[in-house]
PDB file of all heavy atoms in Angstrom:
ATOM      1  N   ASP P 395      -7.862 -26.520 211.804  1.00  0.00           N
ATOM      2  CA  ASP P 395      -7.962 -25.846 210.508  1.00  0.00           C
ATOM      3  C   ASP P 395      -7.212 -26.617 209.426  1.00  0.00           C
ATOM      4  O   ASP P 395      -7.674 -26.714 208.285  1.00  0.00           O
ATOM      5  CB  ASP P 395      -7.413 -24.425 210.615  1.00  0.00           C
ATOM      6  CG  ASP P 395      -8.299 -23.531 211.476  1.00  0.00           C
ATOM      7  OD1 ASP P 395      -9.485 -23.866 211.633  1.00  0.00           O
ATOM      8  OD2 ASP P 395      -7.782 -22.512 211.988  1.00  0.00           O
ATOM      9  N   MET P 396      -6.062 -27.138 209.784  1.00  0.00           N
ATOM     10  CA  MET P 396      -5.271 -27.903 208.807  1.00  0.00           C
ATOM     11  C   MET P 396      -6.032 -29.133 208.329  1.00  0.00           C
ATOM     12  O   MET P 396      -6.123 -29.406 207.131  1.00  0.00           O
ATOM     13  CB  MET P 396      -3.929 -28.299 209.439  1.00  0.00           C
ATOM     14  CG  MET P 396      -3.054 -29.195 208.572  1.00  0.00           C
ATOM     15  SD  MET P 396      -3.378 -30.987 208.808  1.00  0.00           S
ATOM     16  CE  MET P 396      -2.810 -31.208 210.485  1.00  0.00           C
ATOM     17  N   ILE P 397      -6.608 -29.879 209.288  1.00  0.00           N
ATOM     18  CA  ILE P 397      -7.305 -31.119 208.924  1.00  0.00           C
ATOM     19  C   ILE P 397      -8.563 -30.815 208.124  1.00  0.00           C
ATOM     20  O   ILE P 397      -8.855 -31.481 207.117  1.00  0.00           O
ATOM     21  CB  ILE P 397      -7.639 -31.932 210.189  1.00  0.00           C
ATOM     22  CG1 ILE P 397      -6.341 -32.427 210.841  1.00  0.00           C
ATOM     23  CG2 ILE P 397      -8.558 -33.105 209.859  1.00  0.00           C
ATOM     24  CD1 ILE P 397      -6.545 -33.147 212.147  1.00  0.00           C
ATOM     25  N   LYS P 398      -9.314 -29.805 208.527  1.00  0.00           N
ATOM     26  CA  LYS P 398     -10.525 -29.445 207.780  1.00  0.00           C
ATOM     27  C   LYS P 398     -10.189 -29.034 206.347  1.00  0.00           C
ATOM     28  O   LYS P 398     -10.904 -29.379 205.401  1.00  0.00           O
ATOM     29  CB  LYS P 398     -11.271 -28.319 208.484  1.00  0.00           C
ATOM     30  CG  LYS P 398     -12.035 -28.774 209.724  1.00  0.00           C
ATOM     31  CD  LYS P 398     -12.881 -27.628 210.275  1.00  0.00           C
ATOM     32  CE  LYS P 398     -13.753 -28.123 211.434  1.00  0.00           C
ATOM     33  NZ  LYS P 398     -14.618 -27.046 211.969  1.00  0.00           N
ATOM     34  N   SER P 399      -9.100 -28.292 206.208  1.00  0.00           N
ATOM     35  CA  SER P 399      -8.689 -27.871 204.864  1.00  0.00           C
ATOM     36  C   SER P 399      -8.371 -29.077 203.984  1.00  0.00           C
ATOM     37  O   SER P 399      -8.762 -29.123 202.806  1.00  0.00           O
ATOM     38  CB  SER P 399      -7.463 -26.959 204.964  1.00  0.00           C
ATOM     39  OG  SER P 399      -6.975 -26.623 203.686  1.00  0.00           O
ATOM     40  N   VAL P 400      -7.674 -30.061 204.563  1.00  0.00           N
ATOM     41  CA  VAL P 400      -7.348 -31.274 203.811  1.00  0.00           C
ATOM     42  C   VAL P 400      -8.622 -32.018 203.421  1.00  0.00           C
ATOM     43  O   VAL P 400      -8.778 -32.471 202.282  1.00  0.00           O
ATOM     44  CB  VAL P 400      -6.424 -32.189 204.641  1.00  0.00           C
ATOM     45  CG1 VAL P 400      -6.257 -33.551 203.946  1.00  0.00           C
ATOM     46  CG2 VAL P 400      -5.068 -31.529 204.833  1.00  0.00           C
ATOM     47  N   LEU P 401      -9.552 -32.155 204.354  1.00  0.00           N
ATOM     48  CA  LEU P 401     -10.794 -32.886 204.086  1.00  0.00           C
ATOM     49  C   LEU P 401     -11.612 -32.204 202.989  1.00  0.00           C
ATOM     50  O   LEU P 401     -12.090 -32.862 202.063  1.00  0.00           O
ATOM     51  CB  LEU P 401     -11.615 -33.010 205.372  1.00  0.00           C
ATOM     52  CG  LEU P 401     -10.982 -33.851 206.496  1.00  0.00           C
ATOM     53  CD1 LEU P 401     -11.810 -33.737 207.773  1.00  0.00           C
ATOM     54  CD2 LEU P 401     -10.847 -35.308 206.073  1.00  0.00           C
ATOM     55  N   TRP P 402     -11.770 -30.888 203.098  1.00  0.00           N
ATOM     56  CA  TRP P 402     -12.570 -30.181 202.092  1.00  0.00           C
ATOM     57  C   TRP P 402     -11.904 -30.232 200.710  1.00  0.00           C
ATOM     58  O   TRP P 402     -12.598 -30.371 199.692  1.00  0.00           O
ATOM     59  CB  TRP P 402     -12.775 -28.720 202.506  1.00  0.00           C
ATOM     60  CG  TRP P 402     -13.769 -28.507 203.606  1.00  0.00           C
ATOM     61  CD1 TRP P 402     -13.557 -27.881 204.802  1.00  0.00           C
ATOM     62  CD2 TRP P 402     -15.150 -28.898 203.617  1.00  0.00           C
ATOM     63  NE1 TRP P 402     -14.699 -27.867 205.554  1.00  0.00           N
ATOM     64  CE2 TRP P 402     -15.703 -28.480 204.851  1.00  0.00           C
ATOM     65  CE3 TRP P 402     -15.965 -29.558 202.706  1.00  0.00           C
ATOM     66  CZ2 TRP P 402     -17.028 -28.694 205.204  1.00  0.00           C
ATOM     67  CZ3 TRP P 402     -17.301 -29.786 203.044  1.00  0.00           C
ATOM     68  CH2 TRP P 402     -17.819 -29.362 204.277  1.00  0.00           C
ATOM     69  N   SER P 403     -10.594 -30.133 200.680  1.00  0.00           N
ATOM     70  CA  SER P 403      -9.904 -30.141 199.382  1.00  0.00           C
ATOM     71  C   SER P 403      -9.946 -31.510 198.710  1.00  0.00           C
ATOM     72  O   SER P 403      -9.685 -31.621 197.514  1.00  0.00           O
ATOM     73  CB  SER P 403      -8.445 -29.700 199.557  1.00  0.00           C
ATOM     74  OG  SER P 403      -7.723 -30.634 200.351  1.00  0.00           O
ATOM     75  N   ASN P 404     -10.289 -32.542 199.478  1.00  0.00           N
ATOM     76  CA  ASN P 404     -10.396 -33.896 198.922  1.00  0.00           C
ATOM     77  C   ASN P 404     -11.846 -34.372 198.842  1.00  0.00           C
ATOM     78  O   ASN P 404     -12.130 -35.557 198.974  1.00  0.00           O
ATOM     79  CB  ASN P 404      -9.554 -34.878 199.744  1.00  0.00           C
ATOM     80  CG  ASN P 404      -8.074 -34.750 199.456  1.00  0.00           C
ATOM     81  OD1 ASN P 404      -7.576 -35.228 198.442  1.00  0.00           O
ATOM     82  ND2 ASN P 404      -7.365 -34.071 200.353  1.00  0.00           N
ATOM     83  N   LYS P 405     -12.746 -33.405 198.664  1.00  0.00           N
ATOM     84  CA  LYS P 405     -14.145 -33.679 198.324  1.00  0.00           C
ATOM     85  C   LYS P 405     -14.930 -34.383 199.432  1.00  0.00           C
ATOM     86  O   LYS P 405     -15.731 -35.284 199.191  1.00  0.00           O
ATOM     87  CB  LYS P 405     -14.238 -34.496 197.028  1.00  0.00           C
ATOM     88  CG  LYS P 405     -13.564 -33.837 195.827  1.00  0.00           C
ATOM     89  CD  LYS P 405     -13.815 -34.601 194.549  1.00  0.00           C
ATOM     90  CE  LYS P 405     -13.072 -33.975 193.374  1.00  0.00           C
ATOM     91  NZ  LYS P 405     -13.470 -32.597 193.101  1.00  0.00           N
ATOM     92  N   ALA P 406     -14.702 -33.977 200.678  1.00  0.00           N
ATOM     93  CA  ALA P 406     -15.548 -34.458 201.767  1.00  0.00           C
ATOM     94  C   ALA P 406     -16.972 -33.965 201.555  1.00  0.00           C
ATOM     95  O   ALA P 406     -17.195 -32.843 201.082  1.00  0.00           O
ATOM     96  CB  ALA P 406     -15.008 -33.962 203.104  1.00  0.00           C
TER      97      ALA P 406
END
Side-chain angles (χ1 to χ4, degrees):
D395 291 338
M396 175 271 293
I397 293 176
K398 284 187 174 182
S399 175
V400 171
L401 295 172
W402 285 123
S403 65
N404 284 282
K405 303 186 183 299

